[in-house]
C-alpha cells in the first residue's frame, strides 16, 4: 500500500471548481510576469469572470503591491480564504504570513509551501486561477505540472535577446512536462517583435500577444482601475478574449 | 479552522491508499502532527471523525501522534527546539500555523543568529502508517 503526502490527495479537489489554471511564467526575471498576471486578472474580472491569483514567488511576492493591498492573515473557513483584493479578484501568496520580511527557503521547503497553499486554500467562486510564477525554472513548475490537472502556461518575454534565449529554455521544459502554452506574451514592446515571433514559431506556440511598453504602469501600481485601464490593460484584455479566457 | 482542510487531506489520502480494498480491511491510521504547525488536536480529531462518517470506514481508526519540532543550523551546527525559539508574537505563531515555512521569516538560530537552518522534523501533518487486516484482498 502506497502512502503519499496527504496534501497531494486534495489539490485537485481544491481546484475542482476552477475552469482553467494559467501559470504566467518566464525563466527570466524582470520581464513583467506579475504585471501581466495582475492586470490580466483585473481585466478578466471587469469582464465578469471571478478570478483567483496565486502568487508563488516565495522570495519576491509582489502581486499585493500591484493591487495596493496590505497583507494580513487570512480568514479561516474549513481552510484559508484568499484575500479579496478587487471586485471579482482574490489573492493568496506568502505575503499574508510573512509580510515584507524576507523568506529564505531551500528547494524542498519551497515545494512544501506550494503544496500547503494548494491544499488549504479555498478558492470559493473563482472560475479562473492565475498563477504568478517566480523567475527561473525549479520546484514551482515541477510541482505545478505534477499536481495541477490541465495546467496551462502563458510565457512572458521581452523582445530582448537575453530574455528570448532564456525563455526558449523554459518553453522546451514546458513541452517536456506536457504543459500547454496557448501564447507567448511579448511584454514591454517598443518596436520590432520579430525575435519573440520567431521564438514562438520554433516552440510551436500558436499565438504571440503584444503588450506595449507602458511608462504609466509605475504610477498605476496600487490602483486596480488605473492598471486595468492602462495600455497594458487594453492589450491584455484583447488577449484574454482572443485566448478564450474572457 | 483550517484543521478541516488538513483533516480532509488525511481522509482523502487514506481512501486513495485503500483503493478498491474492502473498507472493513482498514483497522487504523497513524497520523503524525508536527509541533511547528500547532494544529488544534481537538478540532483536527473532530474533523477527522466527521469526515470519516461520510465514508464506509469504522469510526475511531485515527491515532494521532505528535512530533517535536527540531531545527538544525547550517552555519554553527547547533540544534534546537521550538521552546528555544522564544519571542514569537501571536501573529507570527498564527502565520506559522497556516504556513509552517513562514518560520524562516521569524526564527533565527539561537546560538549564532543565522537564518540558514533546516527544520529537521516536526513540520506538519503526515500519515505514517495504515493498519489493515491480514487477510486475502486486504494486504
Amino acid at each position: 500500500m502506497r502512502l503519499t503526502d496527504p496534501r497531494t490527495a486534495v489539490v485537485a479537489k481544491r481546484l475542482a471548481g476552477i475552469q482553467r489554471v494559467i501559470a504566467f511564467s518566464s525563466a527570466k526575471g524582470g520581464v513583467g510576469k506579475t504585471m501581466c498576471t495582475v492586470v490580466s486578472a483585473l481585466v478578466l474580472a471587469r469582464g465578469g469572470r471571478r478570478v483567483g491569483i496565486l502568487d508563488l514567488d516565495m522570495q519576491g511576492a509582489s502581486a499585493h503591491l500591484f493591487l495596493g493591498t496590505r497583507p494580513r492573515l487570512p480568514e479561516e473557513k474549513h481552510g484559508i480564504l484568499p484575500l479579496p483584493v478587487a471586485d471579482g479578484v482574490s489573492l493568496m501568496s506568502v505575503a499574508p504570513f510573512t509580510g515584507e520580511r524576507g523568506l529564505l527557503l531551500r528547494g524542498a521547503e519551497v515545494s512544501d509551501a506550494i503544496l500547503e497553499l494548494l491544499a488549504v486554500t479555498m478558492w470559493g467562486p473563482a472560475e479562473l486561477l492565475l498563477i504568478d510564477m517566480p523567475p527561473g525554472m525549479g520546484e514551482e513548475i515541477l510541482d505545478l505540472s505534477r499536481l495541477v490537472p490541465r495546467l496551462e502556461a502563458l510565457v512572458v518575454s521581452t523582445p530582448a535577446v537575453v530574455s528570448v534565449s532564456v525563455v526558449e529554455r523554459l518553453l522546451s521544459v514546458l513541452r517536456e512536462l506536457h504543459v500547454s502554452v496557448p501564447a507567448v506574451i511579448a511584454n514591454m514592446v517598443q518596436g520590432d517583435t520579430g525575435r519573440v515571433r520567431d521564438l514562438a514559431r520554433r516552440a510551436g506556440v500558436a499565438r504571440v500577444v503584444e503588450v506595449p511598453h507602458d511608462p504609466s504602469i509605475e504610477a498605476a501600481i496600487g490602483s486596480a482601475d488605473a492598471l486595468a485601464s492602462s495600455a497594458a490593460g487594453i492589450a491584455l484584455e484583447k488577449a484574454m478574449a482572443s485566448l478564450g479566457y474572457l | 479552522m483550517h484543521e478541516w482542510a488538513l483533516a480532509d487531506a488525511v481522509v482523502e489520502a487514506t481512501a486513495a491508499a485503500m483503493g478498491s480494498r474492502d473498507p472493513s480491511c482498514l483497522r487504523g491510521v497513524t497520523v503524525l502532527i508536527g509541533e511547528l504547525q500547532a494544529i488544534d488536536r481537538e478540532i483536527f480529531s473532530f474533523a477527522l471523525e466527521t469526515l470519516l462518517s461520510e465514508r464506509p470506514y469504522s469510526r475511531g481508526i485515527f491515532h494521532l501522534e505528535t512530533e517535536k519540532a527540531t531545527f538544525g543550523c547550517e552555519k554553527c551546527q547547533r540544534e534546537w527546539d521550538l521552546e528555544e525559539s522564544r519571542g514569537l508574537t501571536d501573529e507570527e505563531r498564527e502565520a506559522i500555523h497556516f504556513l509552517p515555512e513562514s518560520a524562516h521569516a521569524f526564527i533565527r538560530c539561537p546560538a549564532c543568529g543565522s537564518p540558514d537552518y533546516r527544520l529537521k522534523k516536526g513540520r506538519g501533518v503526515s500519515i505514517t502508517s495504515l493498519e489493515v487486516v491480514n487477510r486475502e484482498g486486504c494486504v
Side-chain angles (χ1 to χ4, degrees):
Chain A
M1 201 173 302
R2 188 164 171 260
L3 284 176
T4 55
D5 187 316
R7 296 170 299 170
T8 61
V10 286
V11 173
K13 188 175 176 179
R14 299 289 177 258
L15 301 177
I18 292 173
Q19 295 156 10
R20 298 177 81 168
V21 182
I22 309 139
F24 284 70
S25 310
S26 178
K28 188 82 180 74
V31 297
K33 286 181 297 298
T34 304
M35 186 279 289
C36 288
T37 309
V38 169
V39 173
S40 295
L42 293 170
V43 298
L44 286 164
R46 202 158 66 169
R49 305 306 303 266
R50 285 168 294 191
V51 188
I53 300 173
L54 177 59
D55 183 346
L56 282 187
D57 195 337
M58 302 291 161
Q59 283 80 32
S62 55
H64 63 288
L65 299 174
F66 270 87
L67 290 155
T69 304
R70 190 170 168 273
R72 60 184 185 282
L73 286 172
E75 288 181 30
E76 294 179 80
K77 193 173 181 185
H78 285 196
I80 57 175
L81 304 182
L83 307 178
V85 286
D87 282 347
V89 183
S90 59
L91 169 68
M92 181 53 70
S93 78
V94 295
F97 311 105
T98 61
E100 299 305 327
R101 286 171 180 255
L103 185 63
L104 279 167
L105 300 180
R106 286 192 162 77
E109 294 165 325
V110 171
S111 283
D112 252 328
I114 291 171
L115 187 49
E116 195 79 20
L117 290 176
L118 289 171
V120 303
T121 305
M122 303 296 180
W123 289 101
E127 302 163 300
L128 300 167
L129 180 62
L130 310 191
I131 303 181
D132 183 19
M133 300 289 280
M137 287 181 279
E139 287 71 19
E140 295 83 1
I141 195 64
L142 287 168
D143 291 331
L144 288 180
S145 64
R146 178 171 49 87
L147 294 168
V148 176
R150 307 180 317 279
L151 177 71
E152 48 194 290
L154 291 176
V155 172
V156 184
S157 178
T158 70
V161 176
V162 173
S163 172
V164 166
S165 172
V166 175
V167 164
E168 186 151 24
R169 297 171 216 166
L170 173 65
L171 285 164
S172 157
V173 164
L174 290 171
R175 193 165 46 244
E176 276 192 82
L177 294 170
H178 305 291
V179 176
S180 152
V181 181
V184 173
I185 298 176
N187 191 29
M188 304 183 199
V189 170
Q190 299 188 76
D192 182 42
T193 56
R195 270 192 216 106
V196 181
R197 293 189 176 279
D198 288 346
L199 164 72
R201 199 175 304 115
R202 287 195 299 276
V205 177
R207 288 170 187 266
V208 173
V209 170
E210 291 191 13
V211 179
H213 174 66
D214 183 356
S216 71
I217 282 287
E218 188 70 17
I221 287 174
S223 163
D225 283 343
L227 287 171
S229 305
S230 65
I234 292 162
L236 285 165
E237 187 170 21
K238 276 186 199 160
M240 293 297 112
S242 72
L243 291 166
Y245 298 133
L246 195 56
Chain B
M1 276 98 54
H2 95 301
E3 279 83 355
W4 279 83
L6 296 170
D8 185 28
V10 168
V11 171
E12 290 285 352
T14 300
M18 287 297 291
S20 58
R21 291 177 183 83
D22 186 330
S24 68
C25 293
L26 185 62
R27 281 285 170 81
V29 181
T30 304
V31 179
L32 198 61
I33 303 174
E35 181 190 26
L36 182 63
Q37 193 159 29
I39 292 292
D40 185 315
R41 211 179 159 99
E42 200 173 322
I43 295 171
F44 185 62
S45 187
F46 177 71
L48 283 173
E49 286 302 324
T50 304
L51 293 167
L52 194 73
S53 69
E54 297 162 5
R55 300 191 180 246
Y57 299 107
S58 305
R59 306 291 296 271
I61 56 170
F62 289 107
H63 313 298
L64 307 185
E65 295 177 353
T66 304
E67 184 179 50
K68 272 188 81 70
T70 308
F71 306 88
C73 182
E74 291 292 310
K75 192 176 172 193
C76 72
Q77 314 305 315
R78 169 77 185 279
E79 289 200 3
W80 76 96
D81 62 19
L82 205 51
E83 276 179 30
E84 263 195 277
S85 304
R86 295 190 193 97
L88 290 172
T89 66
D90 288 347
E91 194 166 348
E92 289 165 353
R93 286 181 192 280
E94 188 78 348
I96 294 169
H97 167 62
F98 288 131
L99 186 67
E101 283 65 39
S102 306
H104 283 278
F106 309 118
I107 294 175
R108 296 290 178 264
C109 172
C112 71
S114 173
D116 184 7
Y117 61 86
R118 293 175 194 267
L119 172 63
K120 301 185 84 166
K121 58 180 187 174
R123 179 199 175 276
V125 172
S126 59
I127 300 175
T128 53
S129 68
L130 262 64
E131 185 192 341
V132 293
V133 178
N134 188 12
R135 71 165 191 254
E136 195 178 330
C138 288
V139 183

